[in-house]
Amino acid sequence: MQSLYTAASGLSAQQTRLDTISANIANVNTPGYKSTRTDFKDALYTTMIDPVLADSAANNLLAGSGVLLGATNINMSEGTVSQTDLPLDFAIQGGGFFQVQADNGEILYTRSGAFNATIIDGGNYLVTPEGYFVLDADGNRITLPDNISSAQVSADGTITADGQSYGAIGLVSFQNPNGLSPAGNSCFRVTANSGQPVQDLTSGVTQGSLERSNVDLSEELTLLIRAQRAYSMASRALTTTDDMMGLADTMHS
């Protein structure tokens, strides 16, 4: 029976890897997207009894119990920056993150600077494509001039138009950005591993540009082939185990 569970755990593990690779490939053109990698570890090993070497130190045969998901790691390396010339597109130069406020009030963090403007209660606000409010360094919503094309954003995030200031885009950083947890829509949330956000005064903002996904398509396709082969091997092992169990039942009956 152990071989059945071992093969099944292999199928489950490779399905998780295939899902992760598929998500990376699907977001290869998503601004600010960070690729994810799955790492696995061996399940508990048990000692096999060899009747020939039962009392010998050489009897070290081990049988594995399958494979388990070890960790899901996010690659926080910076993606390439491309110029769009759109006034509400922003790329971060450095390791900072934009602060955004989700519909439920939760503060999330993203590298994607593909923003829009929306009018709410007479105010023109800077928002993400999902409608999340972009925040300044103090956690306040950022207002925009009525004429979006006249808005100029300096490297420190300060927004001006016709000589008037409209606040500044706030950037934060984390002691361990790899410890952030994915929250969907290229956003992340704080965890105990990431630490709390602190104001980032070293990163800058470039208007009219976007940071692209850091997904390496050639690498993902290579991993996809490996995962498919591993899945196929685990599937054959499961089929072989089932055939052996069927044969044993037939002989027993």
Side-chain angles (χ1 to χ4, degrees):
M1 290 294 291
Q2 182 58 58
S3 59
L4 185 66
Y5 294 124
T6 300
S9 71
L11 286 173
S12 177
Q14 295 308 320
Q15 183 61 60
T16 301
R17 173 173 283 173
L18 287 170
D19 292 341
T20 301
I21 296 172
S22 297
N24 288 340
I25 294 176
N27 288 281
V28 68
N29 292 318
T30 301
Y33 179 82
K34 301 302 177 185
S35 62
T36 305
R37 185 187 69 186
T38 51
D39 293 329
F40 302 97
K41 59 184 179 181
D42 291 335
L44 181 67
Y45 275 82
T46 56
T47 302
M48 297 175 61
I49 298 176
D50 188 334
V52 178
L53 304 172
D55 298 324
S56 171
N59 185 23
N60 60 352
L61 299 177
L62 297 175
S65 301
V67 61
L68 298 173
L69 178 64
T72 300
N73 299 311
I74 303 172
N75 177 13
M76 283 295 181
S77 63
E78 295 182 38
T80 59
V81 175
S82 60
Q83 187 172 347
T84 65
D85 293 326
L86 297 178
L88 297 185
D89 281 352
F90 305 98
I92 299 176
Q93 301 293 338
F97 290 81
F98 298 110
Q99 299 181 99
V100 298
Q101 184 181 39
D103 297 334
N104 60 1
E106 182 182 11
I107 306 301
L108 302 174
Y109 306 90
T110 182
R111 295 275 302 184
S112 175
F115 298 146
N116 299 315
T118 185
I119 298 177
I120 300 178
D121 298 330
N124 200 19
Y125 293 96
L126 186 65
V127 297
T128 69
E130 296 75 31
Y132 300 167
F133 289 100
V134 182
L135 306 178
D136 62 16
D138 296 322
N140 300 315
R141 298 174 180 176
I142 297 175
T143 57
L144 296 170
D146 294 333
N147 182 11
I148 301 300
S149 60
S150 67
Q152 299 293 322
V153 181
S154 62
D156 64 358
T158 301
I159 303 173
T160 58
D162 301 323
Q164 182 178 352
S165 176
Y166 288 85
I169 299 174
L171 297 180
V172 298
S173 61
F174 296 89
Q175 183 176 4
N176 178 28
N178 291 324
L180 292 169
S181 173
N185 299 316
S186 296
C187 292
F188 303 91
R189 56 171 54 94
V190 172
T191 68
N193 292 329
S194 68
Q196 293 300 312
V198 295
Q199 187 175 1
D200 188 345
L201 300 178
T202 61
S203 297
V205 175
T206 301
Q207 186 181 18
S209 298
L210 284 178
E211 178 184 352
R212 298 299 181 184
S213 165
N214 67 354
V215 173
D216 185 334
L217 187 57
S218 60
E219 179 182 357
E220 295 299 326
L221 292 176
T222 300
L223 292 174
L224 179 62
I225 294 172
R226 290 173 56 186
Q228 288 176 328
R229 289 177 177 175
Y231 189 94
S232 178
M233 290 177 62
S235 178
R236 288 199 298 270
L238 187 65
T239 301
T240 300
T241 300
D242 182 63
D243 291 342
M244 292 173 61
M245 294 176 63
L247 180 61
D249 288 342
T250 301
M251 295 178 63
H252 180 72
S253 61

